[in-house]
Amino acid sequence: MGGIPSVRTDLPVPRVRRFSDRTSYGDQANVFGLLSPSIFSQKGIHESDFFDSRPKEEVAEIFRNIGVNIPDDTFEEVWKLASQRHPKGEVCVEAFRNVLDEIQTSSLRAS
């Protein structure tokens, strides 16, 4: 038996949500998120923002603005590795951060 799922992942989330739209697209916070919001949501940053593809200059600016100073050659290496993980060579903040973490972890283990 089939029916309409309670979370409609088969439908795209509308850009403008109407008050009368009672459809659950799975993008709303749960009780834990409402009672203990992350520091990012307190600053108006949605989780999906970390997964949006961004140009190299914007990723560099984001990391500079949060106090992560990366030498240019290291940045280029991390960017190259992060872009290889996406079929189209696109890079998002989360992919860049993951690669940077892996490089830092491996250099700590080597020391």
Side-chain angles (χ1 to χ4, degrees), residues 7 13 17-18 21-31 33-34 46:
V7 176
V13 179
R17 179 92 42 80
R18 306 272 184 240
D21 185 0
R22 300 284 183 194
T23 306
S24 173
Y25 298 99
D27 63 336
Q28 295 174 330
N30 57 19
V31 172
L34 293 173
H46 194 271

Side-chain angles (χ1 to χ4, degrees), residues 4-99:
I4 297 176
S6 53
V7 176
R8 298 300 305 265
T9 56
D10 58 324
L11 298 175
V13 179
R15 292 188 82 130
V16 177
R17 179 92 42 80
R18 306 272 184 240
F19 184 72
S20 61
D21 185 0
R22 300 284 183 194
T23 306
S24 173
Y25 298 99
D27 63 336
Q28 295 174 330
N30 57 19
V31 172
F32 179 79
L34 293 173
L35 295 176
S36 302
S38 73
I39 190 168
F40 303 113
S41 62
Q42 292 175 3
K43 302 288 185 186
I45 301 170
H46 194 271
E47 184 179 349
S48 64
D49 295 335
F50 291 102
F51 297 95
D52 292 340
S53 296
R54 301 181 185 276
K56 188 184 292 189
E57 298 77 22
E58 188 175 352
V59 171
E61 182 180 1
I62 289 169
F63 279 85
R64 268 194 313 273
N65 288 343
I66 62 170
V68 179
N69 297 314
I70 307 169
D72 290 340
D73 57 332
T74 304
F75 180 87
E76 292 298 328
E77 177 187 352
V78 173
W79 181 268
K80 180 181 175 187
L81 291 171
S83 68
Q84 290 173 351
R85 295 185 177 188
H86 190 278
K88 295 181 182 176
E90 296 175 353
V91 177
C92 64
V93 170
E94 184 67 11
F96 189 89
R97 187 191 63 79
N98 285 336
V99 172

